[in-house]
Amino acid sequence: MNLLENLLLALEGLWANKLRSMLTMLGIIIGVAAVIVVIALGAGGQAVILGELEGLGSNLIWVFPRQDSGHGSWDRLVTMDNGDIQAIEAQARYVKAVSPQISMQSTAKTVKDTKDISATGVGKDYREIRNVNIESGRFFSEYDFKEGNRVAVIGTDVAKSLFDSDRVVGEVFYLNGQQFTVVGVIEERKQGMGIVANDIGNDSVLIPYTAMQRMTGDYGFYLLFATAESSEVTLDAAKEIENILARRHGPNRFEVLSLEQTIDVVEEITSILTAVIAGIAGIALLVGGIGIMNIMLVSVTERTKEIGIRQAIGAKRRDLLYQFLIEALVLSLIGGLLGILVGAGLVKLLTILLELPSLISVSSILLALSFSFVVGMIFGVYPASKASKLDPIEALRYE
Amino acid sequence: MISLSGVSKVYSTGVVEVRALHDINLSIAAGEFVAVTGPSGSGKSTLMNIIGCLDKPTTGKYVLAERDVSRMTKDELALMRSGHLGFVFQSFNLLPRMTALRNVEQPLIYAGVSRRERRQLATMALDRVGLAERLYHRPNELSGGQNQRVALARALVNRPKVLLADEPTGNLDSKSSREVMEIFSELNREGVTILVVTHEEEVAAYAKRVIRFMDGEIVSDIWQEVRTR
């Protein structure tokens, strides 16, 4: 039977009942749009989180006290100390580099400005572990750590707000009243969304951890970063650190996490979330399909006379089956296409509002289209087969 | 062309059995112009449905164009309708959303005629019934007589051997009726077998043979002088 003729018939039929067709398609439109939006946002969110995680440094391991090690009180949490760093450096075979990270709320002051910042005390391997690129000047030397020199490596935003000059290396500022000399500037970074904590950014102020310990008099720390020799031994390195800390502080006092594990977990969580929400959106598609079936059944009844006429002028059962099936398919596919447009528009809007990367995948569009095709097929078959089985005499007599 | 032997049709509605046709033996040769008359409920419509391959006899044998129709499947019947028969109804039964041209094209779609040829044949058929100027009018833009002529064009576009008309002038004024009946006469002169169900004497007068039905049986079968213009 003539496909083109059937398409034309279907379009004419739908156009003749514009409002009804539109309302019928609404279910499919909403379902498809929801699927597109959910999948795109899921992928976008995942990309953002993973991007930030990977920006932390490759083969990264981080260690922090377990919440329950201090029996619920932050003050009594078990902390790590310089001895742990030395032990890990000396004993762990798979650990390439290790560094503490200590944070301190402080005030940075120059002639130009006074600024509340979070200063970060770091170890000598920190640059390597966290991929800190120095734009100008230098990173800290062995000597700086040994002496606890009051020197700082600062981000570009901090440099801009504290100093007028572009050449800030050698300039001094006051951190909680103590004079520090800028020895380096961190290369400008594209800022993430700050989903991942402890990120290095353009507003960072790094100082040797020994200098910070001297300032605060607190020699313990809550966070330790390390890098494994290679990605294959990340888990081994994490195990080594865990064992060393267990020997020194007792078992299960610290949480040792690797980036790989975290990425796996994040991927798993976002995939499950996306699948669950997409499943709910799929129910909207199902409801849309039922709407199509409903309207097609009405249409078959309304057009009983037409069916009788067509039978009289030579239509076979298959001809009528195709005519009504194609009409249902046209309905669901147009709905699907409109749904893709609506969904893409919503995604565009949301990515602008939420500053997410736009991630409408071809596969989600194909998924949505094939889903609406299948829906049209499944819910179109019954009405179409009903049309094809009408008795010509009764159909002709129908008014 | 048409041969019915011992054809009966029984409708059973629950407990009651209605005998619409009783043991009909009827033979119509190619090129005949037959009027079927009788009161309503006499079985003439049932006869037309069976001859038109829309319905099957309960018992008996019906042969159309040398083929036994009585045991055919639905799709085979559809093929017979498509290949040999044309229908004209009292209420025109045009598809309201379509232009005259597309209405007339419809039977050709089911006969598997190509798009270009369809257009050509449909235009010719409409020209044949004097509607060459009305190709792109929809049924609601045409008069009753014009609509019935579109329906006629649709019935003859497949070049059927038999044309079946059920009260074709029932909804028309006398002038339109004459126009439509004249076209039937012309087609008959060209060799098309024509069966008209009617209760109007005027219409029956165009036929060479008048068959009268009563209670599901043929009560008279008369050859008559054809009225000439």
Side-chain angles (χ1 to χ4, degrees):
Chain A
M1 170 71 189
N2 204 313
L3 182 68
L4 197 72
E5 194 65 31
N6 270 330
L7 281 176
L8 195 65
L9 271 177
L11 289 173
E12 278 175 349
L14 298 181
W15 187 249
N17 291 305
K18 283 182 277 298
L19 180 64
R20 185 163 93 183
S21 308
M22 197 63 209
L23 290 174
T24 309
M25 281 188 279
L26 210 54
I28 297 285
I29 293 174
I30 291 171
V32 166
V35 168
I36 298 264
V37 168
V38 166
I39 291 178
L41 286 188
Q46 189 173 9
V48 166
I49 296 171
L50 291 182
E52 289 195 14
L53 280 175
E54 273 153 13
L56 289 176
S58 45
N59 309 326
L60 191 70
I61 294 165
W62 63 96
V63 187
F64 52 90
R66 281 185 175 235
Q67 291 291 310
D68 54 4
S69 69
H71 305 285
S73 161
W74 182 257
D75 302 334
R76 302 212 305 263
L77 281 182
V78 179
T79 56
M80 291 165 280
D81 54 40
N82 296 2
D84 294 329
I85 302 281
Q86 282 152 18
I88 292 167
E89 278 175 343
Q91 296 165 27
R93 282 191 302 142
Y94 297 118
V95 177
K96 192 172 164 192
V98 60
S99 164
Q101 174 174 321
I102 318 169
S103 292
M104 179 177 79
Q105 284 306 318
S106 42
T107 311
K109 190 174 176 186
T110 55
V111 184
K112 186 190 173 194
D113 199 9
T114 301
K115 204 169 151 56
D116 287 327
I117 55 151
S118 170
T120 310
V122 301
K124 64 182 187 328
D125 292 335
Y126 194 79
R127 177 185 181 183
E128 180 190 350
I129 295 168
R130 300 294 305 274
N131 298 328
V132 179
N133 292 320
I134 303 298
E135 183 182 273
S136 60
R138 61 174 177 85
F139 194 68
F140 311 120
S141 65
E142 292 274 353
Y143 182 72
D144 290 331
F145 287 104
K146 208 165 172 183
E147 297 295 318
N149 284 343
R150 292 201 285 270
V151 287
V153 170
I154 61 176
T156 47
D157 284 355
V158 181
K160 265 175 224 147
S161 59
L162 291 183
F163 305 106
D164 284 323
S165 157
D166 284 341
R167 305 181 62 181
V168 298
V169 175
E171 297 280 345
V172 297
F173 66 99
Y174 291 88
L175 196 64
N176 287 1
Q178 306 260 16
Q179 183 181 309
F180 275 73
T181 306
V182 177
V183 293
V185 178
I186 304 167
E187 195 177 78
E188 179 148 9
R189 288 183 172 218
K190 199 174 157 277
Q191 288 295 89
M193 290 179 76
I195 291 171
V196 178
N198 300 310
D199 200 5
I200 309 284
N202 299 331
D203 55 354
S204 292
V205 172
L206 307 182
I207 63 174
Y209 75 103
T210 47
M212 188 171 282
Q213 284 174 334
R214 253 180 228 185
M215 278 172 80
T216 58
D218 182 356
Y219 288 83
F221 42 81
Y222 297 99
L223 186 59
L224 186 142
F225 284 106
T227 309
E229 287 287 351
S230 69
S231 59
E232 290 83 49
V233 296
T234 312
L235 290 179
D236 298 312
K239 194 74 203 162
E240 279 181 332
I241 292 172
E242 205 172 327
N243 291 338
I244 290 166
L245 291 175
R247 270 205 304 279
R248 293 175 55 85
H249 298 275
N252 295 327
R253 295 292 177 85
F254 298 97
E255 199 76 62
V256 182
L257 290 179
S258 72
L259 189 59
E260 253 105 288
Q261 288 171 293
T262 310
I263 286 174
D264 287 348
V265 170
V266 167
E267 273 174 346
E268 202 174 325
I269 291 172
T270 50
S271 306
I272 290 171
L273 270 180
T274 304
V276 167
I277 304 175
I280 294 168
I283 293 173
L285 269 180
L286 193 74
V287 173
I290 294 169
I292 286 184
M293 176 145 92
N294 186 22
I295 277 305
M296 289 309 296
L297 284 172
V298 170
S299 176
V300 167
T301 306
E302 276 181 353
R303 285 150 72 185
T304 301
K305 184 96 179 180
E306 174 185 335
I307 292 165
I309 295 169
R310 291 187 175 280
Q311 286 173 322
I313 62 177
K316 289 181 284 296
R317 272 181 303 185
R318 201 172 21 137
D319 296 325
L320 292 165
L321 185 77
Y322 286 173
Q323 182 187 337
F324 283 89
L325 193 56
I326 285 172
E327 191 166 318
L329 282 176
V330 165
L331 202 57
S332 65
L333 279 178
I334 291 179
L337 286 172
L338 289 176
I340 288 170
L341 287 180
V342 170
L346 279 175
V347 169
K348 193 88 205 154
L349 198 72
L350 286 171
T351 50
I352 291 168
L353 289 177
L354 301 176
E355 292 172 5
L356 282 172
S358 176
L359 280 174
I360 301 175
S361 60
V362 176
S363 63
S364 74
I365 287 176
L366 290 180
L367 179 80
L369 268 187
S370 46
F371 213 108
S372 48
F373 182 87
V374 169
V375 162
M377 199 77 170
I378 289 174
F379 291 101
V381 160
Y382 175 66
S385 114
K386 203 177 161 201
S388 73
K389 284 180 188 147
L390 287 181
D391 178 54
I393 299 165
E394 276 170 31
L396 274 171
R397 217 179 276 149
Y398 186 89
E399 285 303 334
Chain B
M1 176 59 56
I2 292 167
S3 159
L4 294 96
S5 43
V7 167
S8 295
K9 182 70 189 180
V10 180
Y11 294 108
S12 49
T13 51
V15 271
V16 192
E17 282 202 341
V18 181
R19 184 174 289 175
L21 286 179
H22 180 58
D23 193 23
I24 300 294
N25 292 293
L26 177 64
S27 190
I28 297 170
E32 282 193 39
F33 192 146
V34 181
V36 180
T37 66
S40 58
S42 62
K44 56 188 197 302
S45 287
T46 306
L47 178 80
M48 289 300 263
N49 287 338
I50 287 174
I51 292 177
C53 300
L54 290 166
D55 205 352
K56 287 198 276 190
T58 312
T59 56
K61 191 174 176 185
Y62 167 35
V63 176
L64 169 65
E66 279 138 29
R67 297 196 56 194
D68 185 357
V69 176
S70 19
R71 299 288 167 260
M72 279 188 176
T73 65
K74 282 187 169 182
D75 280 350
E76 286 170 327
L77 289 174
L79 273 175
M80 289 304 284
R81 293 194 292 270
S82 175
H84 300 285
L85 300 165
F87 291 90
V88 177
F89 305 94
Q90 177 173 1
S91 53
F92 323 139
N93 282 352
L94 296 173
L95 298 174
R97 288 200 305 269
M98 290 184 182
T99 62
L101 187 63
R102 286 198 62 214
N103 260 295
V104 178
E105 279 180 14
Q106 295 303 307
L108 297 170
I109 295 173
Y110 300 123
V113 176
S114 78
R115 199 174 173 75
R116 251 187 50 201
E117 212 178 335
R118 286 208 296 268
R119 178 128 305 191
Q120 220 169 4
L121 289 172
T123 310
M124 277 165 58
L126 280 164
D127 190 32
R128 178 81 179 71
V129 297
L131 289 173
E133 309 289 305
R134 298 281 187 278
L135 299 184
Y136 300 104
H137 287 63
R138 288 191 167 75
N140 61 2
E141 299 160 342
L142 297 170
S143 71
Q146 287 170 329
N147 273 325
Q148 194 59 303
R149 282 190 278 152
V150 173
L152 243 167
R154 182 180 65 186
L156 61 86
V157 73
N158 264 350
R159 304 187 179 284
K161 299 189 177 67
V162 179
L163 214 54
L164 299 168
D166 194 349
E167 304 278 7
T169 58
N171 286 1
L172 301 181
D173 58 44
S174 55
K175 180 170 170 289
S176 299
S177 296
R178 275 199 299 280
E179 282 170 5
V180 166
M181 290 316 295
E182 284 304 329
I183 297 169
F184 275 113
S185 291
E186 274 170 42
L187 288 168
N188 180 242
R189 261 174 257 135
E190 288 165 20
V192 180
T193 310
I194 292 171
L195 256 91
V196 181
V197 169
T198 185
H199 59 264
E200 291 174 55
E201 291 300 322
E202 289 280 299
V203 172
Y206 282 87
K208 296 171 195 162
R209 181 180 176 188
V210 180
I211 299 170
R212 205 174 148 67
F213 266 77
M214 184 81 86
D215 298 330
E217 289 179 56
I218 296 173
V219 289
S220 73
D221 188 347
I222 303 159
W223 292 79
Q224 67 178 15
E225 275 299 305
V226 180
R227 176 171 118 168
T228 43
R229 277 196 280 187

